[in-house]
Amino acid sequence: MIEALLIAAVLVAFFRQRARLQGLERRLNELEAAFRVAGGQAAIPPAVPDAPSAAVEQAAPGRPPEGSTDEAVQGSQDTVPATVASPVPARRPGIEERLGARWAVWVGGLALAFGGLLLVRYSIEQDLIGPRLRVALGALLAAGLAGAGEWLRRREQPIPLPAFTSANIPAVLTAAGTSTAFAVAYAAYSLYELIGPTTAFLLLGLLSVATMAAAALHGPALAGLGLVAALVSPLLVETDSPNAPALVVYLGFVAAASYAVARLRLWRWLAIAGAAGAMLWGLAITVGGSGGAAVAHTLLQAALAIGFLVADPHRGRSAGEALTDRFGSAVLAGFALLGIFAAAQLGFGLGRPLFAGALGLMLLAAACRFPPVAPAAASAALLAVGTLLTWPVEGEAGAEPITVLESMVAGTPLPAAVGTYLVSALLFGAGIAAMSLGRIVRGPDLRLVPAAWYLGAATLGPILELIVVYGRVTAFERSVPFALVAAALAAAFAGVARFFRVEEGRRVAAGRFRDVALLAVGATASAAIAALALGFTMALDRGVLTVSLALAALGTAYVSQRAAVPALRYVVGGLGIVVAARLAWDPRIMGGDLGRTPILNWLLFGYGVPAVSFWLAARILAATARDRIVPLCETLALLFSALLVSLQIRHALHDGDIYAARFDHLEAGLLVTQGLCFSLLTARLASRRAHPVYCVFSLGFATLSLLGAAGTLLLFENPFITGDRVAGGAVLNTLLPAYLIPAAAAAALAAGSRGVHPRAFVLAAAGLALVLEIAYACLQVRFLFQGPNVLFLRWTSDAELWTYSLVLIANGIALLAAGFLWDSREARLASAACIVAAVLKVFVIDLAGLEGLLRALSFVGLGLVLVGIGFVYQRLLAGRAGSPAADNPA
């Protein structure tokens, strides 16, 4: 009933709009005639004077003024419609036009699409016809709708109104027909079981490809419908024995059709959707455990992407004028990642290196042949590194090799078939470096950006492969053979750098190639430094990879300035990011056996050398420009410096054992002092250079220090609460570095942060200084009266209790004097807080706890102090009231 009402409403709306549609057609004819008159294709406007003006002569079509250029003629022709005739301005369609010309088409197409489904449903409910006849009638309806759409497309004239281009009747009819065809095919398979899985699979695939082919004539909506249907069709067909090779072939046809239509109509979104769908299906096939099908699918889809998205658009373009194709490069990078997952699922023979080599060769060939996709060389390097990283692990004797994920539990990184593994790594690295560097040598007109990608793949690729192989084979233990390999790699890079230096001198007149040669010199020289540092890491007993990379960053910064190659700054940044990642993964760079000598131990080498290296690299790079690389180097220098100081403190307090479980108030105080000093240092640097890095670090160090002081010195590690013994004499004891020195550092930070940080920051630092100073004074009193054990549960004498009042009053007087001396209202308010605390203490604690003379002295002393404070304030206010400034305010 609802369906009948819907169809009736559509028909009524259509006939009611018929008269209006005829009027609209007449109006369109008038507009078309006006446009033709305006363009000079119909009658010339009447009443042209016998002696036309210069302006009219210039505006007349086909008569350019004397001495004018082609551009001027074209410009005059473009302005003809505006000067000769004034066409009726096109108005926006109203509700009447929208109902009749656009919404009716949409609703009609939707009704037709649902009509096929409802007819099948009705026939099922009434049991009028059998399943075979239902399917046949549905197929006839689909064919009729698609045929009607094509017939109308060939016969109708295009509507010259942009507002109704989306209401294309032939496209709507064709989309309704294809939707009905998909429903009929699926019903024949799933509902009636008239066809088998293979037939249904092929039929749905053919319908999808045909839909995308029809989209080249009917518009993008049909293309999207066909692609979605083609990608979803395999999920609709269920079978007990899935055929993975057939699925690979089917997805190949789908991808080829989507790429072809996208290339024909210049629909990039369709190519993106097709590539994304192929990658998702590749992941599904890989997870499903079909290694051979995953390999075939990856190779086939990568070849199709290279052919349609790279080779066809960029053929015939010279290397000097080609810009980077980000879309094509991203697609190839996606297939490189898919190749890593597919290689990880292969067996344990030669299939893995052969597949990775074939895919990498395809990516390298595309990158070298077409410079717009030069990033594909880096994708090939990524594929090689990922394949070596996910290579299966050697199992126990007689057992099958295990995957890398399983080896995380077993703790055995040694790869299976070590010989094949090492040969594959050698061939991967040599092939990537040779093809990438050879492309630079063959291209004298190569641009800098593609050259940078080639050089990155040729230098970073082999180095990263060597690191992965070294870690997998030796578990990052000392290895002289690997050190020799690194030295040979460094020598090879040094030779290539020398070659490009000579080549630069020979081809100075080659323009861009000179810049490329300079970049190649810097990149290969930096790679030689990095390989040499890596060799030292492998040869030494300790894991000093972080130190080596930091030294390589310093060397690269030096080479970038000496060779005048700005692009090498990003190499320094890349090395810095690697070091930062290593530090985040495990801050314990030098292991546990650091030696027992304070300061002069392995911490000084492991953290001090990187700190100095990155600080010097920042200074070298800042001489020419302060880009993002300089703050990165400064950040790493500050991080390594902070870690060095904190670990040296822990090393000195725990007899060389930085992993000791013990932690006390002395160590907490020294760490708080360190954080406050670093905050003060970075605040002073921020005041001189006005760089946000220093401001952020200053705030960060201060925040950590504040939290550390509140959490450790005042609560968890406070000897008054924990009962820890205070070591030392009456004055020189552990309370001095734990509380008084941090208080002085906080006061210095408050003074040095004025004008650099917000006022709230300065007040917080000053407040921390006051709290730590009062805590020190009170704990020192406790230590003098109680000895090393200052636990609060012990008995307190009257003299000790009275001394605490004296401490609060003395602090209040000192703060009041400082407030008057430097005219600081905050200091005077802090003084008032101390005095109020003293008053409360005297009236609440001393009145009940003290007896005799000490009780009287508490009140007498407090009274004298309060009277003295009142006297000082009166004199101060009286002096201000009698001053000329007070009498004659400005």
Side-chain angles (χ1 to χ4, degrees), residues 762-790:
V762 178
L763 294 178
L768 178 62
L770 177 60
V771 171
L772 291 178
E773 187 274 329
I774 293 176
Y776 167 75
C778 294
L779 288 172
Q780 183 67 19
V781 170
R782 186 74 172 173
F783 175 75
L784 293 176
F785 279 95
Q786 300 289 341
N789 192 348
V790 296

PDB file of all heavy atoms in Angstrom, residues 762-790:
ATOM      1  N   VAL A 762      56.620  33.584  38.574  1.00  0.00           N
ATOM      2  CA  VAL A 762      57.564  34.193  39.512  1.00  0.00           C
ATOM      3  C   VAL A 762      57.082  34.023  40.946  1.00  0.00           C
ATOM      4  O   VAL A 762      57.857  33.680  41.852  1.00  0.00           O
ATOM      5  CB  VAL A 762      57.762  35.679  39.163  1.00  0.00           C
ATOM      6  CG1 VAL A 762      58.702  36.342  40.156  1.00  0.00           C
ATOM      7  CG2 VAL A 762      58.299  35.823  37.742  1.00  0.00           C
ATOM      8  N   LEU A 763      55.784  34.254  41.182  1.00  0.00           N
ATOM      9  CA  LEU A 763      55.248  34.106  42.526  1.00  0.00           C
ATOM     10  C   LEU A 763      55.308  32.653  42.998  1.00  0.00           C
ATOM     11  O   LEU A 763      55.570  32.384  44.179  1.00  0.00           O
ATOM     12  CB  LEU A 763      53.803  34.603  42.560  1.00  0.00           C
ATOM     13  CG  LEU A 763      53.607  36.106  42.320  1.00  0.00           C
ATOM     14  CD1 LEU A 763      52.134  36.451  42.330  1.00  0.00           C
ATOM     15  CD2 LEU A 763      54.368  36.920  43.353  1.00  0.00           C
ATOM     16  N   ALA A 764      55.080  31.695  42.081  1.00  0.00           N
ATOM     17  CA  ALA A 764      55.161  30.282  42.465  1.00  0.00           C
ATOM     18  C   ALA A 764      56.580  29.908  42.866  1.00  0.00           C
ATOM     19  O   ALA A 764      56.789  29.182  43.853  1.00  0.00           O
ATOM     20  CB  ALA A 764      54.684  29.411  41.316  1.00  0.00           C
ATOM     21  N   ALA A 765      57.577  30.399  42.115  1.00  0.00           N
ATOM     22  CA  ALA A 765      58.968  30.116  42.477  1.00  0.00           C
ATOM     23  C   ALA A 765      59.328  30.738  43.823  1.00  0.00           C
ATOM     24  O   ALA A 765      59.998  30.110  44.666  1.00  0.00           O
ATOM     25  CB  ALA A 765      59.901  30.631  41.387  1.00  0.00           C
ATOM     26  N   ALA A 766      58.877  31.987  44.052  1.00  0.00           N
ATOM     27  CA  ALA A 766      59.153  32.627  45.337  1.00  0.00           C
ATOM     28  C   ALA A 766      58.453  31.903  46.476  1.00  0.00           C
ATOM     29  O   ALA A 766      59.015  31.741  47.571  1.00  0.00           O
ATOM     30  CB  ALA A 766      58.715  34.089  45.271  1.00  0.00           C
ATOM     31  N   GLY A 767      57.226  31.449  46.236  1.00  0.00           N
ATOM     32  CA  GLY A 767      56.523  30.693  47.266  1.00  0.00           C
ATOM     33  C   GLY A 767      57.206  29.380  47.594  1.00  0.00           C
ATOM     34  O   GLY A 767      57.283  28.975  48.758  1.00  0.00           O
ATOM     35  N   LEU A 768      57.724  28.709  46.558  1.00  0.00           N
ATOM     36  CA  LEU A 768      58.464  27.473  46.796  1.00  0.00           C
ATOM     37  C   LEU A 768      59.712  27.749  47.631  1.00  0.00           C
ATOM     38  O   LEU A 768      60.046  26.971  48.546  1.00  0.00           O
ATOM     39  CB  LEU A 768      58.839  26.838  45.460  1.00  0.00           C
ATOM     40  CG  LEU A 768      59.663  25.554  45.531  1.00  0.00           C
ATOM     41  CD1 LEU A 768      58.912  24.455  46.251  1.00  0.00           C
ATOM     42  CD2 LEU A 768      60.076  25.094  44.129  1.00  0.00           C
ATOM     43  N   ALA A 769      60.398  28.833  47.332  1.00  0.00           N
ATOM     44  CA  ALA A 769      61.586  29.183  48.121  1.00  0.00           C
ATOM     45  C   ALA A 769      61.226  29.408  49.580  1.00  0.00           C
ATOM     46  O   ALA A 769      61.935  28.941  50.488  1.00  0.00           O
ATOM     47  CB  ALA A 769      62.248  30.430  47.523  1.00  0.00           C
ATOM     48  N   LEU A 770      60.136  30.108  49.855  1.00  0.00           N
ATOM     49  CA  LEU A 770      59.734  30.377  51.239  1.00  0.00           C
ATOM     50  C   LEU A 770      59.352  29.095  51.964  1.00  0.00           C
ATOM     51  O   LEU A 770      59.764  28.872  53.118  1.00  0.00           O
ATOM     52  CB  LEU A 770      58.557  31.360  51.229  1.00  0.00           C
ATOM     53  CG  LEU A 770      57.961  31.707  52.601  1.00  0.00           C
ATOM     54  CD1 LEU A 770      59.011  32.338  53.495  1.00  0.00           C
ATOM     55  CD2 LEU A 770      56.745  32.605  52.439  1.00  0.00           C
ATOM     56  N   VAL A 771      58.583  28.236  51.288  1.00  0.00           N
ATOM     57  CA  VAL A 771      58.147  26.989  51.928  1.00  0.00           C
ATOM     58  C   VAL A 771      59.349  26.099  52.253  1.00  0.00           C
ATOM     59  O   VAL A 771      59.449  25.523  53.357  1.00  0.00           O
ATOM     60  CB  VAL A 771      57.135  26.265  51.024  1.00  0.00           C
ATOM     61  CG1 VAL A 771      56.847  24.872  51.563  1.00  0.00           C
ATOM     62  CG2 VAL A 771      55.851  27.062  50.924  1.00  0.00           C
ATOM     63  N   LEU A 772      60.286  25.976  51.300  1.00  0.00           N
ATOM     64  CA  LEU A 772      61.465  25.142  51.552  1.00  0.00           C
ATOM     65  C   LEU A 772      62.348  25.734  52.641  1.00  0.00           C
ATOM     66  O   LEU A 772      62.934  24.992  53.456  1.00  0.00           O
ATOM     67  CB  LEU A 772      62.253  24.969  50.249  1.00  0.00           C
ATOM     68  CG  LEU A 772      61.590  24.123  49.154  1.00  0.00           C
ATOM     69  CD1 LEU A 772      62.463  24.091  47.916  1.00  0.00           C
ATOM     70  CD2 LEU A 772      61.325  22.702  49.650  1.00  0.00           C
ATOM     71  N   GLU A 773      62.455  27.059  52.699  1.00  0.00           N
ATOM     72  CA  GLU A 773      63.280  27.684  53.746  1.00  0.00           C
ATOM     73  C   GLU A 773      62.677  27.462  55.129  1.00  0.00           C
ATOM     74  O   GLU A 773      63.381  27.157  56.091  1.00  0.00           O
ATOM     75  CB  GLU A 773      63.422  29.180  53.446  1.00  0.00           C
ATOM     76  CG  GLU A 773      64.382  29.927  54.355  1.00  0.00           C
ATOM     77  CD  GLU A 773      63.707  30.387  55.621  1.00  0.00           C
ATOM     78  OE1 GLU A 773      62.501  30.678  55.572  1.00  0.00           O
ATOM     79  OE2 GLU A 773      64.391  30.442  56.668  1.00  0.00           O
ATOM     80  N   ILE A 774      61.355  27.607  55.255  1.00  0.00           N
ATOM     81  CA  ILE A 774      60.700  27.362  56.541  1.00  0.00           C
ATOM     82  C   ILE A 774      60.816  25.893  56.926  1.00  0.00           C
ATOM     83  O   ILE A 774      61.056  25.555  58.103  1.00  0.00           O
ATOM     84  CB  ILE A 774      59.232  27.816  56.475  1.00  0.00           C
ATOM     85  CG1 ILE A 774      59.159  29.339  56.319  1.00  0.00           C
ATOM     86  CG2 ILE A 774      58.467  27.376  57.702  1.00  0.00           C
ATOM     87  CD1 ILE A 774      57.753  29.863  56.144  1.00  0.00           C
ATOM     88  N   ALA A 775      60.661  24.989  55.926  1.00  0.00           N
ATOM     89  CA  ALA A 775      60.818  23.564  56.215  1.00  0.00           C
ATOM     90  C   ALA A 775      62.220  23.254  56.695  1.00  0.00           C
ATOM     91  O   ALA A 775      62.415  22.470  57.637  1.00  0.00           O
ATOM     92  CB  ALA A 775      60.479  22.745  54.961  1.00  0.00           C
ATOM     93  N   TYR A 776      63.224  23.885  56.061  1.00  0.00           N
ATOM     94  CA  TYR A 776      64.599  23.675  56.515  1.00  0.00           C
ATOM     95  C   TYR A 776      64.788  24.171  57.937  1.00  0.00           C
ATOM     96  O   TYR A 776      65.398  23.481  58.778  1.00  0.00           O
ATOM     97  CB  TYR A 776      65.579  24.380  55.580  1.00  0.00           C
ATOM     98  CG  TYR A 776      66.983  24.472  56.153  1.00  0.00           C
ATOM     99  CD1 TYR A 776      67.812  23.359  56.183  1.00  0.00           C
ATOM    100  CD2 TYR A 776      67.448  25.665  56.700  1.00  0.00           C
ATOM    101  CE1 TYR A 776      69.084  23.424  56.727  1.00  0.00           C
ATOM    102  CE2 TYR A 776      68.727  25.743  57.234  1.00  0.00           C
ATOM    103  CZ  TYR A 776      69.533  24.629  57.252  1.00  0.00           C
ATOM    104  OH  TYR A 776      70.799  24.700  57.806  1.00  0.00           O
ATOM    105  N   ALA A 777      64.295  25.364  58.251  1.00  0.00           N
ATOM    106  CA  ALA A 777      64.480  25.930  59.593  1.00  0.00           C
ATOM    107  C   ALA A 777      63.814  25.054  60.645  1.00  0.00           C
ATOM    108  O   ALA A 777      64.401  24.780  61.709  1.00  0.00           O
ATOM    109  CB  ALA A 777      63.924  27.350  59.634  1.00  0.00           C
ATOM    110  N   CYS A 778      62.602  24.594  60.360  1.00  0.00           N
ATOM    111  CA  CYS A 778      61.907  23.761  61.338  1.00  0.00           C
ATOM    112  C   CYS A 778      62.597  22.413  61.519  1.00  0.00           C
ATOM    113  O   CYS A 778      62.754  21.915  62.646  1.00  0.00           O
ATOM    114  CB  CYS A 778      60.457  23.566  60.909  1.00  0.00           C
ATOM    115  SG  CYS A 778      59.473  25.071  60.939  1.00  0.00           S
ATOM    116  N   LEU A 779      63.026  21.788  60.411  1.00  0.00           N
ATOM    117  CA  LEU A 779      63.736  20.511  60.526  1.00  0.00           C
ATOM    118  C   LEU A 779      65.089  20.677  61.200  1.00  0.00           C
ATOM    119  O   LEU A 779      65.546  19.778  61.936  1.00  0.00           O
ATOM    120  CB  LEU A 779      63.898  19.882  59.137  1.00  0.00           C
ATOM    121  CG  LEU A 779      62.618  19.324  58.502  1.00  0.00           C
ATOM    122  CD1 LEU A 779      62.885  18.908  57.065  1.00  0.00           C
ATOM    123  CD2 LEU A 779      62.091  18.140  59.302  1.00  0.00           C
ATOM    124  N   GLN A 780      65.751  21.804  60.960  1.00  0.00           N
ATOM    125  CA  GLN A 780      67.022  22.059  61.616  1.00  0.00           C
ATOM    126  C   GLN A 780      66.829  22.215  63.123  1.00  0.00           C
ATOM    127  O   GLN A 780      67.635  21.703  63.921  1.00  0.00           O
ATOM    128  CB  GLN A 780      67.673  23.316  61.030  1.00  0.00           C
ATOM    129  CG  GLN A 780      69.047  23.639  61.583  1.00  0.00           C
ATOM    130  CD  GLN A 780      70.102  22.623  61.193  1.00  0.00           C
ATOM    131  OE1 GLN A 780      69.916  21.867  60.225  1.00  0.00           O
ATOM    132  NE2 GLN A 780      71.184  22.556  61.951  1.00  0.00           N
ATOM    133  N   VAL A 781      65.760  22.890  63.526  1.00  0.00           N
ATOM    134  CA  VAL A 781      65.441  22.993  64.962  1.00  0.00           C
ATOM    135  C   VAL A 781      65.180  21.612  65.536  1.00  0.00           C
ATOM    136  O   VAL A 781      65.671  21.260  66.624  1.00  0.00           O
ATOM    137  CB  VAL A 781      64.239  23.928  65.159  1.00  0.00           C
ATOM    138  CG1 VAL A 781      63.723  23.857  66.595  1.00  0.00           C
ATOM    139  CG2 VAL A 781      64.599  25.358  64.803  1.00  0.00           C
ATOM    140  N   ARG A 782      64.420  20.823  64.788  1.00  0.00           N
ATOM    141  CA  ARG A 782      64.131  19.463  65.249  1.00  0.00           C
ATOM    142  C   ARG A 782      65.412  18.648  65.379  1.00  0.00           C
ATOM    143  O   ARG A 782      65.589  17.888  66.340  1.00  0.00           O
ATOM    144  CB  ARG A 782      63.174  18.794  64.251  1.00  0.00           C
ATOM    145  CG  ARG A 782      62.657  17.429  64.669  1.00  0.00           C
ATOM    146  CD  ARG A 782      61.631  17.547  65.748  1.00  0.00           C
ATOM    147  NE  ARG A 782      60.983  16.265  66.035  1.00  0.00           N
ATOM    148  CZ  ARG A 782      60.141  16.055  67.025  1.00  0.00           C
ATOM    149  NH1 ARG A 782      59.821  17.063  67.848  1.00  0.00           N
ATOM    150  NH2 ARG A 782      59.585  14.887  67.219  1.00  0.00           N
ATOM    151  N   PHE A 783      66.323  18.804  64.413  1.00  0.00           N
ATOM    152  CA  PHE A 783      67.587  18.062  64.444  1.00  0.00           C
ATOM    153  C   PHE A 783      68.447  18.493  65.639  1.00  0.00           C
ATOM    154  O   PHE A 783      69.074  17.656  66.303  1.00  0.00           O
ATOM    155  CB  PHE A 783      68.338  18.282  63.133  1.00  0.00           C
ATOM    156  CG  PHE A 783      69.710  17.673  63.091  1.00  0.00           C
ATOM    157  CD1 PHE A 783      69.871  16.309  62.929  1.00  0.00           C
ATOM    158  CD2 PHE A 783      70.837  18.459  63.238  1.00  0.00           C
ATOM    159  CE1 PHE A 783      71.138  15.746  62.893  1.00  0.00           C
ATOM    160  CE2 PHE A 783      72.104  17.911  63.197  1.00  0.00           C
ATOM    161  CZ  PHE A 783      72.254  16.555  63.024  1.00  0.00           C
ATOM    162  N   LEU A 784      68.468  19.795  65.945  1.00  0.00           N
ATOM    163  CA  LEU A 784      69.282  20.284  67.055  1.00  0.00           C
ATOM    164  C   LEU A 784      68.748  19.795  68.399  1.00  0.00           C
ATOM    165  O   LEU A 784      69.523  19.535  69.330  1.00  0.00           O
ATOM    166  CB  LEU A 784      69.336  21.816  67.033  1.00  0.00           C
ATOM    167  CG  LEU A 784      70.086  22.437  65.843  1.00  0.00           C
ATOM    168  CD1 LEU A 784      69.977  23.943  65.875  1.00  0.00           C
ATOM    169  CD2 LEU A 784      71.547  22.008  65.852  1.00  0.00           C
ATOM    170  N   PHE A 785      67.446  19.644  68.505  1.00  0.00           N
ATOM    171  CA  PHE A 785      66.872  19.203  69.774  1.00  0.00           C
ATOM    172  C   PHE A 785      66.764  17.684  69.885  1.00  0.00           C
ATOM    173  O   PHE A 785      66.871  17.132  70.981  1.00  0.00           O
ATOM    174  CB  PHE A 785      65.474  19.829  69.956  1.00  0.00           C
ATOM    175  CG  PHE A 785      65.511  21.241  70.452  1.00  0.00           C
ATOM    176  CD1 PHE A 785      65.454  22.289  69.551  1.00  0.00           C
ATOM    177  CD2 PHE A 785      65.607  21.527  71.808  1.00  0.00           C
ATOM    178  CE1 PHE A 785      65.480  23.598  69.990  1.00  0.00           C
ATOM    179  CE2 PHE A 785      65.639  22.841  72.251  1.00  0.00           C
ATOM    180  CZ  PHE A 785      65.570  23.886  71.340  1.00  0.00           C
ATOM    181  N   GLN A 786      66.548  16.986  68.729  1.00  0.00           N
ATOM    182  CA  GLN A 786      66.264  15.560  68.787  1.00  0.00           C
ATOM    183  C   GLN A 786      67.418  14.688  68.289  1.00  0.00           C
ATOM    184  O   GLN A 786      67.409  13.482  68.514  1.00  0.00           O
ATOM    185  CB  GLN A 786      65.018  15.241  67.941  1.00  0.00           C
ATOM    186  CG  GLN A 786      63.768  15.963  68.394  1.00  0.00           C
ATOM    187  CD  GLN A 786      63.237  15.436  69.706  1.00  0.00           C
ATOM    188  OE1 GLN A 786      63.573  14.329  70.132  1.00  0.00           O
ATOM    189  NE2 GLN A 786      62.406  16.224  70.385  1.00  0.00           N
ATOM    190  N   GLY A 787      68.356  15.251  67.576  1.00  0.00           N
ATOM    191  CA  GLY A 787      69.424  14.445  67.016  1.00  0.00           C
ATOM    192  C   GLY A 787      69.070  13.941  65.622  1.00  0.00           C
ATOM    193  O   GLY A 787      68.162  14.466  64.961  1.00  0.00           O
ATOM    194  N   PRO A 788      69.762  12.905  65.107  1.00  0.00           N
ATOM    195  CA  PRO A 788      69.542  12.441  63.727  1.00  0.00           C
ATOM    196  C   PRO A 788      68.126  11.958  63.444  1.00  0.00           C
ATOM    197  O   PRO A 788      67.657  12.025  62.310  1.00  0.00           O
ATOM    198  CB  PRO A 788      70.550  11.289  63.577  1.00  0.00           C
ATOM    199  CG  PRO A 788      71.585  11.564  64.614  1.00  0.00           C
ATOM    200  CD  PRO A 788      70.860  12.179  65.768  1.00  0.00           C
ATOM    201  N   ASN A 789      67.424  11.465  64.468  1.00  0.00           N
ATOM    202  CA  ASN A 789      66.063  10.963  64.255  1.00  0.00           C
ATOM    203  C   ASN A 789      65.080  12.084  64.569  1.00  0.00           C
ATOM    204  O   ASN A 789      64.873  12.464  65.724  1.00  0.00           O
ATOM    205  CB  ASN A 789      65.808   9.764  65.175  1.00  0.00           C
ATOM    206  CG  ASN A 789      64.536   9.024  64.799  1.00  0.00           C
ATOM    207  OD1 ASN A 789      63.744   9.518  64.005  1.00  0.00           O
ATOM    208  ND2 ASN A 789      64.342   7.848  65.364  1.00  0.00           N
ATOM    209  N   VAL A 790      64.469  12.634  63.541  1.00  0.00           N
ATOM    210  CA  VAL A 790      63.579  13.790  63.708  1.00  0.00           C
ATOM    211  C   VAL A 790      62.114  13.402  63.527  1.00  0.00           C
ATOM    212  O   VAL A 790      61.286  14.233  63.185  1.00  0.00           O
ATOM    213  CB  VAL A 790      63.959  14.904  62.711  1.00  0.00           C
ATOM    214  CG1 VAL A 790      65.344  15.434  62.992  1.00  0.00           C
ATOM    215  CG2 VAL A 790      63.853  14.413  61.275  1.00  0.00           C
TER     216      VAL A 790
END
